[in-house]
């Protein structure tokens, strides 16, 4: 990876971008892609769309989501401890002993998820931490002191953990789900520009908000763009580490390439074009099966308007919704290349219908 791309990836991943409060991360993303697009727009809730060939009638979307899971302050005790609500699929099990940032109008307030020491607990009676039992300690001794620090009910809380490279093979950090997707589609825009590729259609590079609470940003922007084609990238579970049941979760590996999904929301002809592209470009890939829905923004695009030819290219990821989400460098490169090469094979007015 070139140094400028790595610097952007690191800066973008380290910046907090909780669901509903993605603004600062979206600014970083837009600043990076601005040289590679013709124009852009930002919608009411913060989804950012870079556009190439904005006057073209036929429209193709490549999309990722920008938001990360987080917490809201929900209750402040008289002695100054904070109880929370989840914002997205936050897992209280990984919270105890973690450091956090509480976002306030006065700036960041540091806090920790406290937890009683093993010496004072009846370990044989221990239960898994839940949203009702985890709490924050921000160093205050009263509710009044908490409020003087700028913290109130509704203040957003994100983990402090930052990006790192592990064993020169893996990128590790919080919120790779799915800001690494935003990085990959931004790199596609850069590659198109730097390789002087002229597309015969309008390309909409979409970094959507609020995926983690129900695909909401994609739902809104799909109606606004009204695309003909949508290629979505998100993460999926690497199932090789302990505690995964492959009979239900599939057999997916970090380092063995993009994952191409089969399922009702995935348009078969577009999916087959992606597979043919991978084979022709010698990009390794894996396959996965969805059920009623993919659980990604693919569903929002596929079922918008009169129906959009949509497909999902996933990045294998270990330890989803923790502070140590982990992806393989080679897979990041391969997903980026596969999206890029697929775009070069889509024609103006490409008809993906099964028959006519």
């Amino acid at each position: 990876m070139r140094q400028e791309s790595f610097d952007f990836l690191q800066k973008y991943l380290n910046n907090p971008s909780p669901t509903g409060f993605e603004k600062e991360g979206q600014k970083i993303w837009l600043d990076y892609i601005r040289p590679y697009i013709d124009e852009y727009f930002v919608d009411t809730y913060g989804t950012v769309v870079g556009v190439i060939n904005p006057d073209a009638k036929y429209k193709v979307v490549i999309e990722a989501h920008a938001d990360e899971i987080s917490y809201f302050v929900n209750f402040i005790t008289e002695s100054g401890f904070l109880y929370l609500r989840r914002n997205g699929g936050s897992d209280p099990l990984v919270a105890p002993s973690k450091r956090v940032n509480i976002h306030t109008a006065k700036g960041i307030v540091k806090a920790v998820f406290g937890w009683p020491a093993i010496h004072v607990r009846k370990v044989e009676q221990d239960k898994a931490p839940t949203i009702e039992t985890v709490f924050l300690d921000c160093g205050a001794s009263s509710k009044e002191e908490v409020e003087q620090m700028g913290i109130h009910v509704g203040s957003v809380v994100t983990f402090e953990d930052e990006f790192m490279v592990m064993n020169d093979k893996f990128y590790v950090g919080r919120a790779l789900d799915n800001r690494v997707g935003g990085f990959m589609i931004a790199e596609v825009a850069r590659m198109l520009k730097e390789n002087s590729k002229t597309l015969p259609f309008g390309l909409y590079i979409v970094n959507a908000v609020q995926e983690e609470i129900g695909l909401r940003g994609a739902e809104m922007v799909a109606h606004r763009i009204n695309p003909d084609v949508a290629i979505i990238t998100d993460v999926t579970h690497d199932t090789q580490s302990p505690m995964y049941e492959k009979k239900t979760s599939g057999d997916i590996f970090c380092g063995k390439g993009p994952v191409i999904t089969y399922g009702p929301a995935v348009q078969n002809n577009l999916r087959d074009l992606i597979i043919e592209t991978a084979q022709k470009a010698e990009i390794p890939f894996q396959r996965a099966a969805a059920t009623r829905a993919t659980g990604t923004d693919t569903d929002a695009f596929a079922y918008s308007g009169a129906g959009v030819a949509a497909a999902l290219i996933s990045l294998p990821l270990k330890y989803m919704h923790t502070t140590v989400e982990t992806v393989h460098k080679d897979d990041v490169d391969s997903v980026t290349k596969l999206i890029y090469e697929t775009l070069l094979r889509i024609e103006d007015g490409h008809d993906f219908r099964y028959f006519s």
Side-chain angles (χ1 to χ4, degrees):
M1 185 183 294
R2 64 181 200 134
Q3 189 62 46
E4 296 90 340
S5 297
F6 181 80
D7 292 344
F8 163 59
L9 175 64
Q10 184 167 244
K11 180 180 180 181
Y12 186 45
L13 289 173
N14 283 340
N15 179 83
S17 189
T19 300
F21 302 83
E22 300 93 345
K23 180 177 72 172
E24 296 306 317
Q26 293 292 67
K27 288 179 179 178
I28 292 170
W29 187 81
L30 177 59
D31 284 346
Y32 183 76
I33 69 162
R34 203 186 293 260
Y36 313 126
I37 58 177
D38 297 323
E39 62 181 49
Y40 72 91
F41 66 85
V42 182
D43 77 4
T44 304
Y45 277 83
T47 290
V48 180
V49 181
V51 188
I52 298 171
N53 301 337
D55 296 327
K57 182 179 178 182
Y58 195 79
K59 301 176 183 178
V60 176
V61 160
I62 57 174
E63 191 260 13
H65 73 83
D67 57 317
E68 65 177 287
I69 57 174
S70 58
Y71 292 93
F72 288 117
V73 173
N74 188 50
F75 175 65
I76 305 170
T77 72
E78 291 301 322
S79 53
F81 294 104
L82 312 177
Y83 286 86
L84 308 171
R85 302 192 83 159
R86 300 190 304 165
N87 184 19
S90 302
D91 185 357
L93 188 65
V94 304
S97 82
K98 291 291 186 182
R99 303 179 188 192
V100 301
N101 293 322
I102 305 175
H103 301 262
T104 80
K106 295 182 177 181
I108 297 293
V109 176
K110 299 293 184 180
V112 298
F113 274 105
W115 200 247
I118 191 170
H119 316 74
V120 300
R121 303 195 320 266
K122 295 181 179 179
V123 177
E124 67 278 3
Q125 297 178 15
D126 272 355
K127 296 180 179 179
T130 68
I131 195 64
E132 290 81 17
T133 59
V134 295
F135 60 90
L136 289 182
D137 183 341
C138 63
S141 56
S142 69
K143 182 176 182 179
E144 291 72 21
E145 187 177 357
V146 170
E147 292 172 342
Q148 288 168 6
M149 297 166 79
I151 301 168
H152 54 75
V153 170
S155 292
V156 181
V157 179
T158 57
F159 288 114
E160 192 178 69
D161 299 67
E162 293 193 338
F163 173 82
M164 73 174 188
V165 179
M166 182 169 66
N167 195 24
D168 200 34
K169 297 178 184 177
F170 293 94
Y171 299 133
V172 180
R174 52 166 243 292
L176 274 72
D177 175 14
N178 180 37
R179 286 209 293 283
V180 70
F183 167 78
M184 293 187 297
I185 61 173
E187 287 295 276
V188 171
R190 177 184 65 80
M191 291 163 63
L192 290 168
K193 183 74 170 183
E194 293 184 352
N195 293 334
S196 301
K197 298 296 184 181
T198 300
L199 299 174
F201 48 77
L203 180 64
Y204 292 71
I205 304 133
V206 178
N207 208 16
V209 299
Q210 299 195 25
E211 187 271 352
E212 296 289 357
I213 50 97
L215 324 181
R216 300 307 188 189
E219 194 174 80
M220 290 182 277
V221 80
H223 289 287
R224 177 165 178 172
I225 298 172
N226 192 23
D228 299 282
V229 178
I231 298 172
I232 312 305
T233 188
D234 206 330
V235 295
T236 192
H237 302 281
D238 168 284
T239 60
Q240 304 310 308
S241 54
M243 300 174 68
Y244 282 93
E245 176 52 73
K246 294 179 182 177
K247 287 185 287 186
T248 55
S249 298
D251 194 16
I252 303 299
F253 295 75
C254 279
K256 289 195 174 183
V259 179
I260 299 173
T261 296
Y262 290 71
V266 175
Q267 213 279 341
N268 297 336
N269 290 335
L270 176 58
R271 183 204 59 232
D272 289 347
L273 177 67
I274 292 169
I275 290 172
E276 291 165 11
T277 300
Q279 292 168 336
K280 194 166 188 178
E282 298 184 343
I283 300 169
F285 69 92
Q286 306 172 75
R287 303 178 201 253
T291 54
R292 293 173 62 90
T294 69
T296 72
D297 284 340
T298 310
D299 305 324
F301 275 94
Y303 301 128
S304 66
V308 175
L312 174 61
I313 302 174
S314 297
L315 176 73
L317 174 141
K318 300 180 182 182
Y319 320 127
M320 193 180 297
H321 287 200
T322 72
T323 59
V324 291
E325 294 181 334
T326 301
V327 299
H328 199 289
K329 284 181 173 183
D330 291 348
D331 292 337
V332 173
D333 291 341
S334 293
V335 171
T336 305
K337 184 179 179 183
L338 182 53
I339 296 172
Y340 172 82
E341 294 291 345
T342 300
L343 291 177
L344 298 181
R345 299 190 67 201
I346 296 175
E347 301 170 355
D348 184 21
H350 203 127
D351 187 353
F352 284 99
R353 290 179 296 172
Y354 298 138
F355 61 92
S356 58

